[in-house]
Amino acid sequence: MFELIGVPPQALFGQLLLGLINGAFYALLSLGLAVIFGMLNVINFAHGAQYMMGAFGAWMLLQYVGIPYWGALLVVPVIIGATGIILERLLLARLYHLDHLYGLLLTFGLALIFEGLFRKQYGSSGLPYANPIPGGTNLGFMFLPWYRGWVVLISIVVCLATWFMIEKTKLGSYLRAATENPTLVRAFGINVPRMMTLTYGFGVGLAALAGVLAAPIYSVNPIMGSNLIIVVFAVVVIGGMGSIMGSIVTGFGLGVIEGLTKVFYPEASNTVIFIIMAIVLMLRPAGLFGTPR
Amino acid sequence: MKNYDMPIFAALIALLIVAPLAIYPVFLMKVLCFGLFALAFNLLIGYVGLLSFGHAMFFGFSAYISAYTVKVWGWPTEIGILAGTAVAAILGLIAGAIAIRRQGIYFAMVTLALAQMVFFFCLQAPFTGGEDGIQAVPRRPLLGFIDITRDINFYYVVLAIFAAGFLIIYRTIHSPFGQVLKAIRENEPRAISLGYHVDRYKLLAFVLSATLAGLAGGTKAIVFQLASLTDVTWQMSGEVVLMTLVGGMGTVFGPMVGAAVIITMQNYLAGFGEWVLVIQGFIFVVTVLLFRRGVVGEIAALASRLGRGRESSARMAGSPAAGH
């Protein structure tokens, strides 16, 4: 068996794939955060909890209703997105006239409520969710489980579709215009508050989709979101929230870097993203793709 | 310029001196430690407008240092607490230098991420004892003669530490330095144009806040004879935010009131397990939506509305929140 830079290729490519998977989740979640922040000026601290609820949604649909993975993939983001819309209308919308920090504090409170409720109901040990596409293929240099390949593929597709929608369609141009100058866009007769509501619902739906995708890979666990969201915050700081493509590229890139760290220096694998964040802040405070303002 | 802060403070200390007659001293010490922690946090959010979502890193890391130096190296109690405080100050200098490069919401995210880094460091470093933490930290005689194994003796020491911390913060926010901080909070570009090195002021305030959070954490480690991962988690950072929010951000006495409220609540709800999390989240939501000024802030607002007299207007003038 040959070795590559002192590491067996199976381990190297295995970790690379794992890094790509993590990167897919970073990308999906930071994309949702960036879309919400762009439109609402709110950092959605509940994003991790909504991702967790996506995973639980898939588990509950299978357990209680018998709807399999593929159905959940469509239904869960819609349901969780709808709960997001209700939250935005009932709670978040009351805070737009205040300092942005209040939005952060409110959604932090919501995250605690969601996590607490699920921990109360399901404990914190984690529930299994069967892999919908078992098996895989041997590529010669590594073994590729079908499901993991699917996750990487679908998240790239969803990210690119979101990018296309925001940057290239008419709806997206309204959205970008409303981000720049909501008052002016309203004067043109476009219902900006409704766009904000739908944007929040969409961002939350993306988090829930990521949750459904994660269910078969990680065990479905009430605390899966809170640990992830802090890393995603660091990803957002590194990328800067100015550009949609920026958050996608940063998400995947950092996932891969984290995977490589697991191979070469496992002790730092938990902290490497935070270290990169610190370095980026020293050199380019606005983030890699951000514009200083 | 009439100001009732000092008489209120004196009355509060007098009350706390007799409090052990009615209330269990360990509970009071917990309230005082968290009260000091919240006061330190409030210095940033209330007077510089910086929301740190990672203050547990100073509180918890200082607790580890104090517990380790006292238990393993056998350092005297007071030196152990000071060592924890000093390390928190250094950590504050590093974290602050990184975090002040962004403002507002980004500042919150950066501090949260840095605190998570410290959490993983504590999880992996051998000296912290991993999941067990550092247990059974001895309570050696303070300064060589004060027997702090008796809770009641130690309580008065903790009260003195708390009062000192309060006075340091009070002095800071009412000094020219504090006025500049408030000016930065109200209008940063203007403070820059007036020639202030805004970043230096922010960093100094951050280090001071981290140091006092460290003092609270180090003291807490000796009180409970324990330093554990709980103290460095993001939940702990969230708790101090909650205490300050409930008590009243930017008020002099709010953070300690908030700490007392939250600690009391946790005490009563200890048996309800996960519900504590739900209730804390609920308090967050309700406070943000309905009582943004917190307990003390609402009372002050009520007093000024009822009184409209000398007292309230004098207070307003006496605490010049600057920059209108």
Side-chain angles (χ1 to χ4, degrees), chain A residues 30-44 47 50 92 196 199-205 241:
Chain A
S30 62
L31 184 62
L33 278 180
V35 171
I36 292 173
F37 182 75
M39 191 72 196
L40 282 71
N41 266 324
V42 164
I43 274 293
N44 184 29
H47 219 66
Q50 280 148 343
L92 268 179
M196 291 168 89
T199 304
Y200 188 73
F202 176 76
V204 171
M241 280 189 287

Side-chain angles (χ1 to χ4, degrees), chain A residues 43 120 267 281-282 285, chain B residues 101-102 105 124 234 274-275:
Chain A
I43 274 293
K120 177 81 194 122
E267 290 82 359
L281 280 172
M282 296 319 277
Chain B
R101 299 183 70 89
R102 299 305 300 265
I105 273 167
Q124 290 171 337
W234 60 266
E274 310 297 353
W275 284 119

Side-chain angles (χ1 to χ4, degrees), chain B residues 197-243:
Chain B
H197 291 281
V198 167
D199 279 355
R200 251 184 247 167
Y201 281 87
K202 282 186 185 172
L203 183 59
L204 195 53
F206 193 90
V207 172
L208 184 61
S209 172
T211 309
L212 290 169
L215 179 62
T219 310
K220 202 220 107 183
I222 309 295
V223 169
F224 288 94
Q225 305 182 279
L226 170 74
S228 73
L229 281 174
T230 316
D231 297 337
V232 272
T233 54
W234 60 266
Q235 287 94 336
M236 182 58 77
S237 297
E239 246 170 58
V240 75
V241 179
L242 181 63
M243 288 169 185

Side-chain angles (χ1 to χ4, degrees), chain A residues 11-21 142 255-257 259-260 263:
Chain A
L12 180 64
F13 288 107
Q15 287 300 341
L16 261 181
L17 178 65
L18 215 59
L20 216 50
I21 302 254
M142 67 174 287
V256 169
I257 291 175
L260 289 176
V263 178

Side-chain angles (χ1 to χ4, degrees), chain A residues 80 115-116:
Chain A
I80 306 289
E115 192 180 313

